[in-house]
Amino acid sequence: MRELETEILRLFTALQNPLLDEFARLLTFLGDETFYFIIIPFVYWCLSKGFGIRLLYVFLISVYINALLKSIFMVTRPVGIEGVNSLYVSSAEVGTHFPHDSFPSGHAQGSATLWGFIAYQLNRRQVWIGASLLIALISIARLYTGVHWPTDIVIGVIIAGFIIYCYHVAEKYIVALEEKWKITLALAVPFLMMAIFRDSEGFSYGGFLLGAGIGYFLEKRFISMKIPSSWLKRIGAYVFGVLVIFGLQTGLKMLFPESAIFDGLRYAVIGFWGLVGAPYVFVKIGLYKKD
């Protein structure tokens, strides 16, 4: 099986040329953490808070499961295999288990979760086609750049689809819960995530959900931000909010010691800012109003 996958990778990487390399670089970026920090706040701050919070939870649970599976299976990436020329290897060096973190593909699973969930929520033929094409291109780019085995890609997409299906089944039960039970879940689930997966990734994703969950219910209770009709105000708020996110990501990383616990704290602060800090500032400076 591995011999067949190696031959497939050799076929894909043999196609490399400067033009396709740049296209692959763009597709790689569309599956990176930086891009997700750009797109998910845009949905929450500028399009729909309800849609945004659902997307955030489904996506973060998916990437948490992906990182957990990587740490369990510890499959070595095809980087350095004879006849396979790997590009943009730095895009794969984000986890604590590199290079033994190939399975399943984070880019394939993450993009399939993000765009698959957006397509599922909007449920329009054009959106499904566009999402499917984008997922396929991002996934193929991981083969073209020689940083994943074909099975990593296939299983990553399948897991994403299964997670979206689980959301579809569970949504009506979650929506029907009393507010106190929703708050309880928002607090309990992140702590459970961190207790199960004690690596940096487990604390980061769990911490993010903890900060975001607390922020969401505080914003709902005390701020109740209303997205304005003016796109000028939306874009102004969005640019400011995203700049703060990247400032927190970089600044807190420099300030805090390197440890899983502090990674969790750093991402908790970012999640808290995104769900309550930013809405508070948007309302305070008059870009947004209370609902």
Side-chain angles (χ1 to χ4, degrees):
M1 181 64 179
R2 195 57 97 197
E3 290 80 5
L4 175 60
E5 291 192 279
T6 301
E7 286 304 313
I8 292 173
L9 284 178
R10 286 172 180 158
L11 288 172
F12 272 101
T13 57
L15 300 173
Q16 292 173 358
N17 65 68
L19 181 62
L20 288 179
D21 289 355
E22 289 305 310
F23 186 46
R25 186 198 299 272
L26 172 62
L27 292 170
T28 297
F29 169 73
L30 294 180
D32 284 347
E33 179 183 272
T34 301
F35 175 73
Y36 297 132
F37 270 142
I38 292 172
I39 189 67
I40 295 177
F42 178 79
V43 174
Y44 186 83
W45 294 335
C46 301
L47 299 179
S48 166
K49 291 196 297 181
F51 186 7
I53 192 64
R54 287 171 170 79
L55 176 62
L56 177 66
Y57 267 87
V58 171
F59 177 77
L60 280 177
I61 288 173
S62 179
V63 293
Y64 168 85
I65 291 172
N66 179 268
L68 179 60
L69 291 175
K70 285 177 181 289
S71 72
I72 293 172
F73 289 100
M74 297 286 285
V75 175
T76 303
R77 291 177 182 269
V79 177
I81 297 292
E82 184 179 355
V84 176
N85 182 45
S86 298
L87 302 174
Y88 314 132
V89 178
S90 61
S91 69
E93 296 175 338
V94 294
T96 56
H97 298 286
F98 178 85
H100 310 296
D101 59 352
S102 191
F103 178 87
S105 167
H107 275 68
Q109 185 175 331
S111 62
T113 303
L114 178 76
W115 298 110
F117 187 77
I118 289 174
Y120 160 74
Q121 287 283 290
L122 297 180
N123 199 25
R124 296 175 186 169
R125 183 172 179 270
Q126 297 90 334
V127 178
W128 276 112
I129 293 173
S132 300
L133 179 61
L134 191 53
I135 293 165
L137 288 173
I138 293 172
S139 298
I140 291 171
R142 302 310 277 170
L143 301 178
Y144 175 87
T145 54
V147 293
H148 272 294
W149 301 103
T151 49
D152 304 340
I153 305 298
V154 174
I155 299 302
V157 173
I158 290 174
I159 293 171
F162 179 71
I163 289 170
I164 294 172
Y165 172 75
C166 289
Y167 169 83
H168 171 73
V169 173
E171 180 185 19
K172 61 182 178 181
Y173 300 106
I174 296 172
V175 170
L177 288 174
E178 294 181 25
E179 192 80 348
K180 64 179 180 181
W181 292 115
K182 291 180 182 178
I183 294 172
T184 300
L185 283 176
L187 296 174
V189 169
F191 280 112
L192 180 61
M193 292 166 63
M194 290 184 280
I196 293 172
F197 188 20
R198 295 175 176 270
D199 286 0
S200 173
E201 293 93 332
F203 276 88
S204 296
Y205 297 135
F208 199 113
L209 275 186
L210 180 63
I214 294 171
Y216 174 76
F217 286 104
L218 287 176
E219 193 280 333
K220 186 178 180 181
R221 173 68 177 82
F222 297 106
I223 302 171
S224 192
M225 173 191 79
K226 181 180 181 181
I227 298 174
S229 58
S230 168
W231 270 102
L232 186 61
K233 290 184 177 181
R234 295 190 206 187
I235 297 302
Y238 170 72
V239 171
F240 173 75
V242 167
L243 287 175
V244 174
I245 285 178
F246 287 116
L248 289 171
Q249 184 188 32
T250 303
L252 293 178
K253 189 172 185 178
M254 295 172 60
L255 180 65
F256 289 165
E258 288 190 18
S259 76
I261 293 176
F262 278 99
D263 285 340
L265 179 58
R266 176 162 59 100
Y267 278 91
V269 172
I270 295 172
F272 190 82
W273 162 257
L275 274 294
V276 68
Y280 172 79
V281 173
F282 297 164
V283 171
K284 198 71 175 177
I285 63 178
L287 287 174
Y288 287 18
K289 294 181 179 180
K290 289 190 174 185
D291 193 352

